[in-house]
Amino acid sequence: MKSLKSKKGSSLILVTIIATAVGLIVASLISSALTERKVNYRNELRYEAQNAAAAVLEYGLSQVSYKFKSRTNLTTEALAPGSSDALSLPTADLLSANVNLSEIELVGGTVPIYPNTLYYIDPDDPNNEFDPLKGKRAYVREVEVYGKASVTDPKAPASANASYKEMEVYATQRLQIRDSPLFAHAIFYNLDLELHPGPVMNVYGPVHTNGTLWAQAVNSLKFHNQVTTSEHYRYGHKAQGIENSQNGNVYFKDRDDNFLSSKIDGTYYDAYMGGTALDDDFREFASSRWNGNLITKMHDVPKYDPVNFSSYEEDDPITPSYDPVNSGRSIIEPAITDTIDPEYDTEIESQKMANKAGLRFVWDTATNTVTAYRGDGTLLDISNLEGDPSDSSDDADSLFEYKANLMKDHRRNQTLDTVDINVGKLKQLIENPDTGDAEKHIGNFDPDLDWNGIVYFECVSSNSNAAAAQALDYTGIRLWGGDTDESGQGIPSRGTDPGMTFATNNALYIKGNFNADGVLHQESSSEHSAIEPEAGEVPVAVMGDTVTFISDIFDEASSHTTKNPNAPSAGMEVAVGIVAGIVPSNAEGNNKLSGGAHNFPRFLEKWSGKDFFIRGSLVCLYESEVDRGTYGGGYYSPPNRKWGFSEQYREGVYPPGTPLLRDMVRVDYRTLNKTEYETAIASLPWSTP
């Protein structure tokens, strides 16, 4: 039998062994924990460096974006270091504490020259399903921005090497600048878009609004292509809210071309999802139901502003004056030539139709004289082209004619003086001038050199008294002679940019078929007049404070006493892109209605049961400032609205000088290693010796 002392010794040894083992395990665990803590700490520093690099890039991309919002273009090397447009570095307050400000780098790449071809965003490509520009064309450029950020390890020992103390991350991303023509949309609204038709209405072509889409229907409203809004979709009436009086279906398509209503089991699913406030669930609901064919602010749809113009803003009802930000109207306003004028802006002036026009007319409404100028300001001789108001027999041979108290516009409740422009005569003067006959050419104007397809008609008053400011309230510009099936009529077109754009700062009236022959083809025909161009058709745009259509049988004399006269039973047809303004619903708190996009083209006749075809595009870009006549009844009856998106526009053939809408998206963020970054910087033109 072993002694008790021997047993105690064995136990002591065992305890020592166990204690040592436990100690080793604990030490190992502590060491492992410390190592993991170090690794986590270093990973946190790396994440901080990566976030800093992303923040530096975002700061640079925002600068490039701002430059392209306020300017048409930048030179190829505009972003070169040391230039006036070089990118500035973010300040310390925008970055985390460990970022080494002395090691930050931010470099903009070259700016590609402006493309001369349109890029088609294919709607059948799954990658484009939620792209607001799918199915449209755009001029696309990409500017690459490079950034470097370095984070200092505050716990690094003094003996550590530089690569350990400083954690560097290099990255790059591209800003894609996309300019889409204004007429790439069947309907484009810079303001809230309202649609609340009584009869069945079909909308063919892409639709966008920079405001809220207010849509409802008595019967049904069907959108055949993508609808986008930079704000929200609401079922209802902007001025009157949700209306039970219009409980028809509003349809959008899914990816399989099925029409699906926003009304389900009696509930209207819009941005409020049947509730009383915005509901973020609408994003997922709309995405799964309509597969990108209705996308809104919740899907990050941007505002599409005309290049160089600030966003439209409604009037602030809190302020005593009516003062919306109506910058889009600058497109049709007269040029400002005085560079010290506080309203002068080089970039905005470059976008005005007045400055783009190769042929410009000026009507002084105080003296009732009309003068004409070349695009370079040279005075033209049109003394033999003015008609005699007392002799209607010379109308076809005259280019223009002033007519006092010609007609009454019962929507405006004003009797108008007009200048009538014979576009058929303009066609002869541009396409077949005869310099040997003073009545068959414009003096000092060579169409081969001076015509660019853009005509601007400026209306001003030389009267300095206060009443002069109201002069345009009782005037209008009328176009006639655009029926392509009538001898001596048609649209002027010459050179490599076919067609015509006619713009005025006044209210515009169009009489008779225009850029069309008046032979109407219904939807069942392969020559559907709302979509398919006629043989030889050229693209045409008309721009005015408002645009009103009257038939060729409209009787100006009887209009002074008669409202809502009969329109021709044969109907009417125009092929134009329309840019005009409206008086928004409840403007100035008057509870009046805009009439909606279905009443955007204005009428003054009884069109009930008769077809009116518009083949083109409807663009509401601004508030009206001359024609403030509000929507109402009694002065017209609506036609069968046969309105479609011109196939010419769908194929990328637009009128001369078509304005552009710009949006910008960030694409292809990538991290780089040091060698890749330095190689990319060295390849920039200004880095090459």
Side-chain angles (χ1 to χ4, degrees):
M1 181 176 181
K2 294 182 179 179
S3 67
L4 180 61
K5 183 177 180 181
S6 176
K7 288 183 178 180
K8 286 182 177 179
S10 298
S11 297
L12 182 59
I13 292 170
L14 181 61
V15 169
T16 301
I17 292 172
I18 292 172
T20 302
V22 170
L24 290 171
I25 292 171
V26 170
S28 176
L29 290 173
I30 292 173
S31 175
S32 177
L34 290 173
T35 301
E36 183 177 353
R37 186 175 177 182
K38 282 184 179 181
V39 170
N40 288 341
Y41 174 68
R42 294 292 290 179
N43 281 338
E44 287 174 3
L45 287 176
R46 177 159 292 280
Y47 291 144
E48 186 177 354
Q50 289 173 345
N51 289 337
V56 168
L57 275 183
E58 178 57 32
Y59 193 76
L61 291 164
S62 296
Q63 292 178 66
V64 179
S65 177
Y66 177 80
K67 294 175 193 296
F68 274 101
K69 279 183 180 294
S70 57
R71 289 150 69 177
T72 306
N73 203 3
L74 299 176
T75 61
T76 301
E77 298 187 11
L79 304 179
S83 71
S84 59
D85 282 310
L87 303 183
S88 60
L89 296 173
T91 53
D93 59 305
L94 299 176
L95 300 168
S96 57
N98 294 321
V99 175
N100 187 343
L101 297 177
S102 65
E103 292 295 321
I104 291 176
E105 293 180 7
L106 180 58
V107 180
T110 56
V111 178
I113 61 173
Y114 201 91
N116 55 17
T117 56
L118 287 161
Y119 176 76
Y120 181 61
I121 292 90
D122 187 356
D124 295 326
D125 184 341
N127 294 320
N128 297 331
E129 187 166 60
F130 290 90
D131 190 329
L133 289 184
K134 75 174 183 180
K136 307 181 186 76
R137 286 173 164 79
Y139 297 103
V140 179
R141 289 169 291 165
E142 292 182 348
V143 177
E144 193 148 14
V145 175
Y146 304 90
K148 170 194 172 185
S150 179
V151 168
T152 302
D153 184 350
K155 297 181 180 180
S159 59
N161 59 38
S163 62
Y164 186 87
K165 292 180 180 179
E166 296 288 334
M167 193 164 291
E168 297 177 338
V169 173
Y170 305 87
T172 181
Q173 191 169 18
R174 299 196 305 272
L175 183 72
Q176 192 175 84
I177 302 106
R178 308 192 299 182
D179 292 351
S180 57
L182 195 59
F183 298 125
H185 302 82
I187 300 176
F188 177 90
Y189 261 56
N190 202 23
L191 294 71
D192 286 346
L193 169 56
E194 300 173 73
L195 276 167
H196 39 84
V200 171
M201 185 172 182
N202 290 276
V203 179
Y204 298 92
V207 174
H208 175 80
T209 172
N210 278 338
T212 295
L213 170 63
W214 291 89
Q216 61 178 4
V218 173
N219 288 288
S220 69
L221 171 61
K222 289 183 176 181
F223 293 97
H224 288 250
N225 296 86
Q226 185 190 47
V227 178
T228 59
T229 166
S230 303
E231 291 297 328
H232 300 288
Y233 162 55
R234 297 299 319 280
Y235 185 95
H237 202 296
K238 177 182 178 181
Q240 300 169 353
I242 300 298
E243 282 191 309
N244 293 326
S245 62
Q246 291 196 5
N247 54 11
N249 288 289
V250 176
Y251 294 98
F252 307 92
K253 280 188 173 182
D254 66 10
R255 67 168 62 96
D256 297 319
D257 277 348
N258 300 308
F259 282 108
L260 300 179
S261 176
S262 59
K263 180 171 71 172
I264 303 174
D265 297 329
T267 298
Y268 295 100
Y269 287 88
D270 60 6
Y272 282 23
M273 293 292 285
T276 58
L278 289 173
D279 189 332
D280 290 340
D281 288 344
F282 180 74
R283 175 189 172 99
E284 179 58 32
F285 172 80
S287 298
S288 60
R289 186 165 179 81
W290 295 298
N291 313 127
N293 285 324
L294 172 62
I295 54 177
T296 73
K297 184 177 184 177
M298 294 183 186
H299 299 86
D300 301 318
V301 174
K303 286 187 182 294
Y304 292 103
D305 292 319
V307 173
N308 294 346
F309 295 110
S310 57
S311 297
Y312 166 83
E313 294 179 20
E314 288 187 334
D315 170 63
D316 183 352
I318 297 176
T319 60
S321 60
Y322 188 76
D323 53 359
V325 177
N326 201 27
S327 58
R329 197 179 182 279
S330 294
I331 281 181
I332 63 164
E333 289 175 354
I336 298 175
T337 57
D338 185 356
T339 57
I340 64 172
D341 188 311
E343 294 188 6
Y344 180 85
D345 183 293
T346 301
E347 297 293 338
I348 290 178
E349 290 302 312
S350 71
Q351 298 302 313
K352 288 183 175 180
M353 304 312 295
N355 285 317
K356 289 183 177 181
L359 179 59
R360 181 170 62 92
F361 296 88
V362 178
W363 173 24
D364 186 334
T365 59
T367 61
N368 294 319
T369 56
V370 176
T371 51
Y373 303 86
R374 279 202 316 241
D376 63 5
T378 301
L379 182 67
L380 304 178
D381 183 2
I382 54 172
S383 57
N384 294 293
L385 300 174
E386 181 173 5
D388 182 353
S390 64
D391 182 8
S392 61
S393 65
D394 72 345
D395 286 358
D397 295 322
S398 303
L399 174 61
F400 68 97
E401 187 174 314
Y402 165 72
K403 297 183 177 181
N405 300 319
L406 175 69
M407 57 176 277
K408 184 166 185 176
D409 182 332
H410 287 277
R411 175 166 178 160
R412 296 169 68 177
N413 195 30
Q414 293 178 349
T415 299
L416 306 180
D417 295 349
T418 69
V419 170
D420 287 12
I421 309 292
N422 179 358
V423 295
K425 178 63 176 179
L426 183 59
K427 177 180 175 69
Q428 176 268 305
L429 295 169
I430 298 303
E431 295 182 6
N432 300 292
D434 182 353
T435 56
D437 188 332
E439 295 183 354
K440 293 186 178 180
H441 78 281
I442 301 172
N444 296 328
F445 189 85
D446 183 347
D448 277 332
L449 301 176
D450 304 323
W451 172 260
N452 65 0
I454 305 172
V455 181
Y456 182 71
F457 207 102
E458 177 181 344
C459 299
V460 298
S461 176
S462 60
N463 194 331
S464 60
N465 65 35
Q470 303 297 320
L472 298 189
D473 281 347
Y474 300 91
T475 62
I477 301 298
R478 302 203 317 170
L479 301 180
W480 69 281
D483 191 326
T484 58
D485 201 39
E486 293 290 332
S487 176
Q489 296 195 33
I491 303 298
S493 180
R494 186 177 187 133
T496 57
D497 199 2
M500 179 186 73
T501 293
F502 185 97
T504 179
N505 60 320
N506 206 332
L508 183 62
Y509 297 80
I510 296 178
K511 186 170 185 177
N513 298 317
F514 200 81
N515 196 31
D517 60 13
V519 179
L520 308 183
H521 301 278
Q522 300 299 326
E523 186 175 359
S524 58
S525 170
S526 61
E527 300 176 82
H528 186 197
S529 293
I531 297 174
E532 297 296 332
E534 298 167 358
E537 183 172 307
V538 295
V540 171
V542 292
M543 304 181 182
D545 186 74
T546 55
V547 175
T548 301
F549 294 97
I550 54 179
S551 72
D552 56 5
I553 66 169
F554 180 81
D555 188 333
E556 288 81 5
S558 65
S559 71
H560 291 269
T561 56
T562 303
K563 289 184 179 180
N564 203 16
N566 285 322
S569 58
M572 187 168 152
E573 177 187 20
V574 299
V576 291
I578 303 168
V579 178
I582 61 169
V583 179
S585 291
N586 201 32
E588 303 179 70
N590 56 16
N591 292 318
K592 299 289 187 178
L593 306 179
S594 73
H598 46 298
N599 288 303
F600 174 63
R602 298 187 175 197
F603 300 97
L604 296 173
E605 297 166 278
K606 184 184 293 184
W607 284 97
S608 302
K610 299 158 188 173
D611 293 340
F612 195 101
F613 281 86
I614 299 177
R615 179 171 57 256
S617 173
L618 307 180
V619 177
C620 177
L621 206 55
Y622 38 80
E623 289 194 28
S624 305
E625 295 184 1
V626 172
D627 180 354
R628 297 290 290 179
T630 54
Y631 168 76
Y635 59 85
Y636 91 112
S637 299
N640 298 325
R641 299 179 177 100
K642 308 281 187 171
W643 303 347
F645 185 47
S646 173
E647 193 64 25
Q648 278 190 329
Y649 298 172
R650 191 187 298 275
E651 293 298 321
V653 180
Y654 302 107
T658 293
L660 297 172
L661 303 168
R662 177 166 290 172
D663 85 307
M664 285 163 278
V665 294
R666 290 150 173 78
V667 297
D668 194 23
Y669 175 88
R670 294 180 295 123
T671 56
L672 306 172
N673 60 41
K674 183 176 182 179
T675 300
E676 291 172 331
Y677 175 82
E678 291 177 344
T679 300
I681 298 299
S683 68
L684 296 173
W686 48 84
S687 300
T688 304

